[in-house]
Amino acid sequence: MRKAIQNLEASKIREVANAGLGRDDVLAPLRTALAGNGAPRDADLELPGFTTPMVPLDATPSLDITQLEYDAGTGRFTALLSIAAEGAPPTQLRLSGRVQEMVELPVPRRRMLPGDVILAGDLQWTRLRAALARGEVVRTAAEAVGQALRRPVQPGQPLLLADLGRPVLVQKGTPMLLALDGPGIQLTATGVATEPAGLGERVRVLNPASRVIVEAEVTGAGRGRVLPGSQPVPAVNMALPRLAAR
């Protein structure tokens, strides 16, 4: 029994006397080597299945990256990691993984619904894989603040510019007061919006009495300006929009 305890204590001493290299210890020289071959310095490095090797606790290991092969198109790489430490035999490990380019974007901090107007407090900056931010996405807070959503968005997901628009001031079926300005003339008329629209956007407005449609620019809540050159168009086979609740 005494011998078993002594063996267990000796095993524990050997474990304490050796320690695994930290993952960051390996990533640092690997990142430098990859950057020298064109990889982004702030990218995330994936090393699936990698286990840090053991070295003497009081040793200062020397790490060297050689035989590096990096494919910028796919982000995949292979390399040879050489470790030299006093009191331990030289070790070489074959590394393989992938470079994940990262970008920092403003994203929603909460779930938001269509029609919600984005405020500065609704956004937070986060690092995302560049592959998730392809295309026309919001890259600055100024591009999103004050805009209304056209579809639901989840927290932490990139915002698409196509999913943003000016806040809706006129809903389908909203009664509208239209202004018609011309040389020496200023008239007003009433109508009903046939579609939703935001400030400065164009909207087709139906005159229920004459059943003609004119195109107007939204100038405020329930207000618009008939566009110059807009010609009334008969509302053929068009149902009268139901008045929106006021």
Side-chain angles (χ1 to χ4, degrees):
M1 182 69 175
R2 183 187 299 274
K3 186 175 182 180
I5 294 176
Q6 290 175 340
N7 289 338
L8 178 60
E9 290 176 347
S11 175
K12 289 183 177 180
I13 291 173
R14 284 195 297 271
E15 290 180 6
V16 172
N18 293 272
L21 284 172
R23 187 179 180 87
D24 290 342
D25 295 331
V26 175
L27 290 181
L30 178 58
R31 191 182 304 277
T32 299
L34 283 166
N37 282 263
R41 286 188 174 274
D42 61 348
D44 277 3
L45 303 183
E46 294 181 349
L47 285 174
F50 174 72
T51 302
T52 54
M54 303 296 287
V55 296
L57 185 62
D58 57 352
T60 302
S62 171
L63 307 182
D64 189 29
I65 299 292
T66 57
Q67 301 181 22
L68 175 64
E69 294 184 7
Y70 169 59
D71 185 337
T74 64
R76 298 190 180 279
F77 66 85
T78 60
L80 185 66
L81 170 66
S82 299
I83 306 171
E86 185 178 352
T91 303
Q92 288 187 324
L93 295 176
R94 177 62 62 178
L95 305 178
S96 64
R98 188 170 185 174
V99 174
Q100 290 288 355
E101 185 179 356
M102 306 295 288
V103 294
E104 192 168 7
L105 298 176
V107 298
R109 63 171 66 246
R110 62 181 179 88
R111 185 171 185 268
M112 302 185 72
L113 301 175
D116 287 350
V117 177
I118 300 174
L119 305 177
D122 294 324
L123 302 175
Q124 62 183 3
W125 288 88
T126 189
R127 275 169 54 86
L128 296 170
R129 291 183 177 181
L132 299 177
R134 301 297 186 194
E136 299 296 324
V137 299
V138 172
R139 299 186 180 277
T140 66
E143 291 177 314
V145 173
Q147 298 291 302
L149 289 166
R150 292 173 175 164
R151 70 173 184 87
V153 296
Q154 300 299 322
Q157 295 299 307
L159 291 167
L160 299 178
L161 291 174
D163 291 336
L164 304 181
R166 295 181 179 179
V168 174
L169 295 180
V170 173
Q171 297 286 354
K172 180 179 180 179
T174 299
M176 293 191 66
L177 180 64
L178 301 180
L180 175 59
D181 298 330
I185 186 173
Q186 188 174 36
L187 301 175
T188 58
T190 58
V192 180
T194 66
E195 56 197 343
L199 182 67
E201 293 181 336
R202 295 187 176 189
V203 60
R204 294 180 302 162
V205 182
L206 172 69
N207 184 317
S210 63
R211 296 194 60 80
V212 297
I213 293 177
V214 296
E215 195 171 40
E217 177 187 356
V218 177
T219 58
R223 305 178 71 88
R225 177 179 66 89
V226 177
L227 294 172
S230 175
Q231 298 295 323
V233 177
V236 180
N237 298 327
M238 184 174 187
L240 182 67
R242 181 178 299 176
L243 292 178
R246 304 183 68 178

